[in-house]
Amino acid sequence: MRACVFDLDGVLVDSEPVWEEVRRAFVAEHGGTWQPDTQSRLMGMSTAEWAAYLRSLGVGMPAGEIARAVVERMAARYRAGVPLMPGAVETVRRMSGQVTLGLASSSPRTLIDAVLAEAELVECFAATVSTEEVPRGKPAPDGYLEAARRLAVDPGECVAVEDSSNGLRSAHAAGMRVVAIPHPRYPPAPDALALAWRVVPDLDALTVETLS
C-alpha cells in the first residue's frame, strides 16, 4: 500500500442524515415526491447527477438551480457545526503520519473544503477530488482514478475507505482494495459489501497495520 484514499460522506462526516433531511425537505417544498429508494440512489452521485435526479422526482426547477439551492442549505448546516464521525480527526491525523492520504468525495468542492478546514485536516491530504471534477460520479470509478492520478500512485497500490454501496463499487472498479466501514443507518447492499477486501466496525479499527 502506497496510499489510502478516504471517502468523505459517511466515513469522515456523518452527513448522510443531513443530506437526506435537506434534500427530502427541498423536494417536498418544490412539488416533488420522495421515493422509498431515493436516498440509496443518491448516495455517491455527483452534484449534477443528483440534481437531475431530484428534478426527475417532480421538482419544477432547472437542475443547476436545484444544485445551488441544496448546496447552500448544506453549507448553512455545516456552518452551524460539521457532524464529524467519531474518531475521524484522530484517525486521519494518525494515518497521515504513516502513509500518503487522498480523498475522493461526491460532495461539491465547496463542502469538501469547508469540512476539512473546520476539522483542521487540510494539510493531512496530499490530494482531494470532488466528483464535480470528473465525468462521472460513483459507482463509476472516475473519482478514485483521478485521486490516484493526483497522488501519482497506481490504483492497485491504493486502499480506499468507503461506507456506501456506490462508493464500494466505485473504488473496486478503480482497482483499489476496499475497506468498508458500513454506516449503521445506511448499510451497503450485500453485493456491494462483498466487494470489500476488509470490513471494520469503525474508524478506530483503521490502522496502517490492518491495511497492509
Side-chain angles (χ1 to χ4, degrees):
M1 179 185 64
R2 294 183 55 205
C4 180
V5 184
F6 282 88
D7 176 38
L8 183 69
D9 295 294
V11 173
L12 299 180
V13 185
D14 195 13
S15 53
E16 295 298 355
V18 185
W19 275 111
E20 180 176 3
E21 181 182 334
V22 167
R23 290 191 287 212
R24 185 189 284 264
F26 187 86
V27 168
E29 290 168 16
H30 293 85
T33 303
W34 191 268
Q35 301 297 325
D37 64 344
T38 292
Q39 177 62 17
S40 61
R41 285 178 175 269
L42 292 173
M43 291 173 70
M45 285 187 181
S46 68
T47 303
E49 289 167 342
W50 62 250
Y53 183 81
L54 295 190
R55 191 171 189 274
S56 76
L57 297 179
V59 176
M61 298 169 61
E65 291 183 20
I66 293 172
R68 282 191 293 275
V70 170
V71 170
E72 284 174 4
R73 293 190 184 191
M74 286 295 298
R77 294 289 294 269
Y78 281 178
R79 284 193 292 271
V82 175
L84 292 167
M85 295 293 281
V89 172
E90 296 81 2
T91 298
V92 169
R93 287 180 178 166
R94 167 169 45 80
M95 294 192 63
S96 69
Q98 300 173 284
V99 65
T100 300
L101 298 186
L103 185 140
S105 173
S106 299
S107 278
R109 170 57 61 183
T110 54
L111 296 184
I112 293 173
D113 292 346
V115 168
L116 297 185
E118 177 68 22
E120 299 182 348
L121 295 176
V122 174
E123 300 303 319
C124 293
F125 292 95
T128 62
V129 177
S130 165
T131 52
E132 288 182 329
E133 300 160 359
V134 294
R136 299 173 296 172
K138 301 171 184 179
D142 301 30
Y144 279 105
L145 291 174
E146 177 62 14
R149 189 192 69 80
R150 293 184 187 184
L151 293 170
V153 177
D154 185 276
E157 297 177 309
C158 296
V159 170
V161 184
E162 269 287 356
D163 68 302
S164 70
S165 297
N166 285 339
L168 291 164
R169 294 179 181 122
S170 172
H172 184 266
M176 297 185 181
R177 287 180 291 169
V178 193
V179 173
I181 307 179
H183 192 288
R185 183 170 170 182
Y186 306 102
D191 67 304
L193 189 59
L195 300 173
W197 171 60
R198 288 189 177 169
V199 179
V200 297
D202 51 39
L203 285 167
D204 288 336
L206 198 66
T207 66
V208 170
E209 288 73 27
T210 63
L211 301 185
S212 299

